[in-house]
Amino acid sequence: MERQLFDADHDAFRETARAFCDKEIVPHHDAWEEAGIVPREVWTAAGHAGLLGFMMPEEYGGGGARDFRFNAVVIEELTRARASGVGFAIHTDINSAYLLDYASDEQKARWLPGFCSGETITAIAMTEPGAGSDLQGIQTTARREGDHYVLNGQKTFISNGILADLVIVVAKTDVAAGAQGISLLVAERGMPGFERGRNLDKIGLKAQDTAELFFDNVKVPVENLLGEEGKGFVYLMEKLPQERLAIAVVAAAACENLLATTLDYVKERKAFGRPIGSFQNSRFVLAEIATETQIARVFVDRCIQELNAGTLTVAEAAMAKWWTTELQKKVVDRCLQLYGGYGFMTEYPIAKAYLDTRIQTIYGGTTEIMKEIIGRTMGV
């Protein structure tokens, strides 16, 4: 089924993104996985290619195109290139929305030029050792003292945590106010008391730096408050649907790529004198994968249109996130089975995909949380 989502501008942008991935990422990604981090030079190269700030106003060095279809193009091309460790998505698909909608003009002038050029890498710090999906349970605090906040707490599982120059920190500025006491503060590299822990060792996404962050009496200027004090939880709820849709875009693209590479394999690999893809079981498995992948693609593309129109609901984003990521888990498992013993070998891309896939149903809100969100909107 031909996609109706993109126009000529998106197609041209895809050519740029694909060329960048093929030249700047694919030849080096294995080495980055061994190192556990992506070099900063990749970020500045991506900025120069226009892949980081395309949604930002032109006055700050951006492309002035706030259209999530461009985000989808970058996501799909990174997925096609198996660039699971390149953390552009945190920057472009998540943090861009917070900075565009809640940053003041003064903050935008300070932060957006570097955001677009790749010289300023961003992260967002929500999760804590004792608080994941339950954001109201965070313990990090920010106490106002004159012209600054005193930030104390610990965050974990923070993508881009090692590389980040700016970190949007979710903290309680009024402990007694519950969700209404949560605010967003931007901590900057070099602030005294802001320390990074170890680069966490994960089973997948090996090149993606994921860190613990520690804040010990960090003085964050009042000028680094993002939006209004006490509105942080509202802001998170407003932007989490876009984050969840971005994860669904990854999932749909991954399913398509897994199907394509597995088809190539089963047409060439032989057993009992014939290609393994010609056996009825293989055909049935592939037919199921192709059908469900097509369903995922149609729904995700529709959600992208709804997001652009400002009509994507929290429940629809949750539906897209849980269903496509659970599908991705099923697809990679069934594809690996068709590879037989070779699928268990790390030299085959299917093995890497198997490990990288597992996080998809966890971050951005677990499958269980997504179902809870959907159920609540149904009045039950």
Side-chain angles (χ1 to χ4, degrees), residues 119-131:
E119 295 171 285
T120 300
I121 299 172
T122 66
I124 185 164
M126 301 184 200
T127 304
E128 298 181 1

Side-chain angles (χ1 to χ4, degrees), residues 193-351:
F194 174 18
E195 302 291 341
R196 298 157 209 265
R198 59 197 175 98
N199 192 354
L200 300 171
D201 186 13
K202 310 179 296 295
I203 65 171
L205 308 187
K206 288 290 190 177
Q208 168 72 70
D209 61 302
T210 307
E212 300 168 312
L213 303 181
F214 301 94
F215 305 97
D216 183 10
N217 290 320
V218 180
K219 291 185 177 180
V220 180
V222 171
E223 290 77 19
N224 281 26
L225 173 68
L226 196 58
E228 297 180 38
E229 186 175 302
K231 292 289 186 67
F233 191 77
V234 173
Y235 297 156
L236 292 168
M237 294 305 102
E238 288 176 348
K239 298 310 175 190
L240 278 170
Q242 178 167 314
E243 175 180 348
R244 288 164 180 161
L245 178 57
I247 295 170
V249 174
V250 172
C255 289
E256 291 170 339
N257 292 333
L258 287 163
L259 175 61
T261 55
T262 302
L263 270 172
D264 289 340
Y265 180 81
V266 299
K267 289 176 182 178
E268 296 176 0
R269 176 71 174 169
K270 292 184 178 181
F272 304 103
R274 53 192 281 207
I276 61 175
S278 67
F279 291 95
Q280 185 184 66
N281 178 71
S282 299
R283 289 201 304 270
F284 280 13
V285 169
L286 293 166
E288 291 172 10
I289 292 172
T291 302
E292 291 178 303
T293 295
Q294 185 65 259
I295 292 168
R297 165 54 59 216
V298 172
F299 184 59
V300 169
D301 281 2
R302 176 61 183 272
C303 286
I304 293 171
Q305 292 174 316
E306 296 293 334
L307 180 69
N308 274 350
T311 54
L312 180 69
T313 68
V314 171
E316 287 166 344
M319 290 175 184
K321 199 274 179 185
W322 91 254
W323 197 83
T324 59
T325 57
E326 291 291 346
L327 176 64
Q328 184 185 352
K329 274 173 53 181
K330 182 170 74 171
V331 167
V332 74
D333 184 70
R334 302 195 79 182
C335 286
L336 189 149
Q337 186 72 20
L338 291 172
Y339 276 77
Y342 288 104
F344 201 61
M345 301 297 108
T346 56
E347 63 195 84
Y348 278 74
I350 189 70

